[in-house]
Amino acid sequence: MISLNIEKTLGFISKENVFAYEAQVKAAQEALENGTGKGNDFLGWLHLPSSITKEHLADLKATAQVLRENCEAVVVAGIGGSYLGARAVIEALSNSFAWLQDKKSGPVILYAGHNIGEDYLYELTEYLKDKKFGVINISKSGTTTETALAFRLLKKQCEDQRGKEMAKKVIVAVTDAKKGAARVTADNEGYKSFIIPDNVGGRFSVLTPVGLLPIAVAGFDIEKLVAGAAAMEKTCGKDVPFAENPAAIYAATRNELYKNGKKIEILVNFNPKLHYVSEWWKQLYGESEGKENKGIFPASVDFSTDLHSMGQWIQEGERTIYETVISVEKTQYSLQVPSDEANLDGLNFLAGKHVDEVNKMAELGTQLAHVDGGVPNMRIVIPALNEESLGGLLYFFEKACGISGYLLGVNPFNQPGVEAYKKNMFALLNKPGYEEESKAIQARL
Ligand code: PA5
C-alpha cells in the first residue's frame, strides 16, 4: 500500500490550512460520486477497478496470448491517453535491458503513433522488416492523425510480410464501440477489438483495454494491477475520513501550495524505471487542470541523473516550485558495492553496502537540501515496483486529480485546448473541409 507524507511542506504552508479543505474535498468527492460536477459524462474511471470482471480480464489475457505466441515484436500504436499508461507500467516493470537480451521471454514491445517523426517511423519499419510482428491500434476517436498515419504504414507492412490471414490474427484494435475510422477498419478487416468506454477519457483510461492489453502482451499480471487499483479505490473512497485519505490530502496540499505561489509541481523519482510514470502523470494533471488561465504546471525529473543538470535550478532558481517524490521502498534485486584494495576512487567506505542504500541517502540528502533551499517536499512511498503497487499508484493519482480539479474550479475531464494545433495543421495541409481555414492561415504566413 502506498503512503503519503506532507510533513516537509509544513514549513511553507500550515497543516491547519491544508485541513481547512476538508469540506471542499468532501463536496468534490460527492460531486464525483453523484455525477453532479463539471465533466460528469466522463466519470467511468471512478469505480472502474472494482467493476472489472474476471471474464473481461480473461478475454484480454487470451488475446495477449495470441500476440505473444505469434509475434517477436508488438507495436503499440497510440498517443497521449491512448499510449502513456501502457508505457508507464511496462517500462516500470520491465528489465531495463530486456530488448538487448538474446533469450526473450515474450515479444519486444515497441511504440508508434505518438509522434510524426519520419526518421523514427522509417527506422521502426526497417527494424520490423525481418520480424514477425503484430500491432495494437489504440485510438478512442479513431481519427488521431499521428496514430492513423503510423497504423496505415504498419498495417500494410504487416499484411505484406505476414499475409492477410496472419495479419488479421495479430492486429488488434482498441477503440470506440461504434464510431471512428479505427472501428470501421477493425470491423471490415475482422480484427479482434476491444471497446474504450464512452465515459472514460484518454488520460483516465489505463485500466481499460487501452492499458491492460499492451501490459498483458508484455507479460505482466493485469489481475494484480487491477487488484492494486481496486484496493486504492477503497483507500481513497468518499467515506474515508480526510486525514486518512491520501487522495484527499494530496489534492488539498497541492492546491494550498498553489495558492501560496507554488505554481510548478515537479514529480521526482530516484528510479529510472519510473520515467514514464512521470510522463503519464504530467498528461493527467496538465490536461486536467491547465485551463481557464490557471493550473499547476506539472514537470518531472529523474534523480539522481537530473541532480547533475536541473539540480541547480531546483536548489536556487525562482521559488515557485515544490516537489513530490515517488520513493520505492524495496529494490527487486540485490547488488553490493565491492571492496577494492587500491581504493583509488576512495569508495571503500561504501564497500559491502547495497547500491540502494547509497540511492536512499541521495534521496534523503536531496530532500533536506531542497527544503533548506525553499522547496516544499511531499513524499509518496510505494513498497516495490510491482503490479499491485503500480495499480494503486495510478488510481491514487487519478482520484486525487478528479478532486484537485474540482478544488481548482475547472472541468478536469475535458481538453478543449488540444484542438487548436490540429485545426492549424489540417489547414496548412489543405485537408478537405478546411478550405476557409487554409485561406486564412496562408494569409498569415
Ligand atoms: O487524454 C486525451 O484525451 C488525449 O491524450 C487522447 O487520449 C489522445 O489525443 C489520443 O486520442 P485518441 O485515443 O482519440 O486517438
Side-chain angles (χ1 to χ4, degrees):
M1 199 41 77
I2 77 165
S3 69
L4 171 72
N5 188 325
I6 64 160
E7 289 300 312
K8 293 277 188 281
T9 64
L10 298 182
F12 305 90
I13 52 173
S14 73
K15 197 166 190 170
E16 207 186 354
N17 283 352
V18 171
F19 275 68
Y21 280 87
E22 187 167 353
Q24 281 179 69
V25 166
K26 195 170 171 6
Q29 289 260 50
E30 268 160 19
L32 289 171
E33 287 297 329
N34 303 331
T36 50
K38 292 180 183 170
N40 55 3
D41 42 350
F42 283 98
L43 294 172
W45 56 274
L46 190 62
H47 293 297
L48 191 60
S50 58
S51 58
I52 294 174
T53 63
K54 278 206 157 47
E55 293 71 32
H56 181 54
L57 291 175
D59 191 13
L60 286 162
K61 286 199 300 190
T63 304
Q65 196 51 30
V66 172
L67 291 175
R68 285 178 67 78
E69 278 165 13
N70 291 285
C71 301
E72 296 164 287
V74 172
V75 186
V76 177
I79 192 167
S82 288
Y83 148 75
L84 283 167
R87 190 160 195 178
V89 174
I90 292 169
E91 305 255 336
L93 295 175
S94 295
N95 183 306
S96 310
F97 305 97
W99 85 315
L100 296 174
Q101 286 166 351
D102 293 336
K103 256 191 119 209
K104 297 191 174 62
S105 58
V108 173
I109 308 296
L110 303 164
Y111 301 90
H114 59 299
N115 62 47
I116 325 176
E118 183 158 352
D119 290 346
Y120 182 94
L121 287 167
Y122 176 86
E123 286 162 7
L124 175 67
T125 50
E126 274 298 300
Y127 171 80
L128 292 171
K129 258 186 182 153
D130 58 350
K131 306 283 183 310
K132 292 180 187 156
F133 76 94
V135 186
I136 308 176
N137 185 33
I138 309 176
S139 178
K140 188 172 184 196
S141 62
T143 52
T144 300
T145 310
E146 288 88 339
T147 307
L149 200 154
F151 183 65
R152 178 181 278 223
L153 288 165
L154 293 166
K155 176 180 184 287
K156 181 173 183 324
Q157 186 174 357
C158 188
E159 287 170 353
D160 290 349
Q161 274 175 224
R162 309 199 66 182
K164 264 234 162 215
E165 274 317 296
M166 183 50 95
K168 248 190 216 177
K169 206 169 164 176
V170 295
I171 297 178
V172 180
V174 182
T175 187
D176 187 85
K178 297 195 191 88
K179 45 180 203 301
R183 167 54 56 202
V184 175
T185 308
D187 290 348
N188 285 354
E189 300 283 356
Y191 300 151
K192 169 77 179 168
S193 67
F194 290 92
I195 292 168
I196 309 174
D198 274 346
N199 60 357
V200 181
R203 58 191 174 275
F204 288 86
S205 70
V206 58
L207 297 169
T208 72
V210 169
L212 295 179
L213 181 63
I215 293 166
V217 173
F220 300 114
D221 190 332
I222 53 174
E223 274 168 16
K224 287 188 180 161
L225 187 83
V226 170
M232 188 53 68
E233 188 186 317
K234 277 197 189 135
T235 304
C236 301
K238 94 167 168 44
D239 296 323
V240 177
F242 182 83
E244 292 159 32
N245 189 326
I249 300 278
Y250 179 60
T253 307
R254 60 197 302 285
N255 273 278
E256 181 58 13
L257 286 163
Y258 184 55
K259 227 166 87 184
N260 283 272
K262 303 299 180 189
K263 308 279 187 197
I264 301 165
E265 177 172 4
I266 307 179
L267 194 70
V268 176
N269 69 67
F270 280 80
N271 186 325
K273 291 188 181 194
L274 285 170
H275 178 84
Y276 275 93
V277 168
S278 298
E279 295 303 311
W280 171 85
W281 171 89
K282 283 194 283 195
Q283 184 194 356
L284 182 65
Y285 280 82
E287 225 176 26
S288 298
E289 295 192 323
K291 46 197 73 158
E292 298 175 29
N293 296 328
K294 48 189 177 179
I296 295 165
F297 183 81
S300 66
V301 287
D302 300 323
F303 284 169
S304 66
T305 312
D306 294 335
L307 283 171
H308 297 257
S309 53
M310 293 303 290
Q312 172 60 36
W313 200 104
I314 295 170
Q315 189 69 44
E316 296 183 348
E318 194 179 53
R319 302 297 72 186
T320 45
I321 55 171
Y322 65 95
E323 290 178 312
T324 300
V325 179
I326 303 178
S327 180
V328 183
E329 215 163 9
K330 271 209 189 98
T331 58
Q332 196 181 349
Y333 304 108
S334 156
L335 184 66
Q336 282 163 291
V337 180
S339 170
D340 185 272
E341 211 177 309
N343 194 28
L344 293 178
D345 54 11
L347 287 183
N348 271 355
F349 73 103
L350 297 176
K353 282 195 193 303
H354 286 271
V355 172
D356 197 50
E357 283 179 76
V358 183
N359 202 26
K360 289 287 190 298
M361 289 311 110
E363 188 179 318
L364 185 57
T366 304
Q367 185 195 49
L368 296 172
H370 288 181
V371 170
D372 288 347
V375 182
N377 187 291
M378 276 193 266
R379 224 169 147 245
I380 296 165
V381 180
I382 62 172
L385 273 190
N386 57 35
E387 286 91 337
E388 285 100 331
S389 294
L390 284 168
L393 185 68
L394 297 178
Y395 185 83
F396 157 76
F397 277 135
E398 288 183 357
K399 184 68 189 276
C401 186
I403 297 172
S404 184
Y406 281 170
L407 294 182
L408 187 65
V410 299
N411 175 355
F413 307 114
N414 67 1
Q415 53 285 327
V418 301
E419 296 310 315
Y421 96 90
K422 293 182 194 168
K423 205 178 100 206
N424 286 348
M425 179 176 75
F426 293 146
L428 289 164
L429 287 167
N430 297 314
K431 184 174 175 171
Y434 284 76
E435 289 74 13
E436 285 310 309
E437 288 87 346
S438 292
K439 262 191 240 152
I441 207 160
Q442 288 302 335
R444 284 176 60 190
L445 300 179

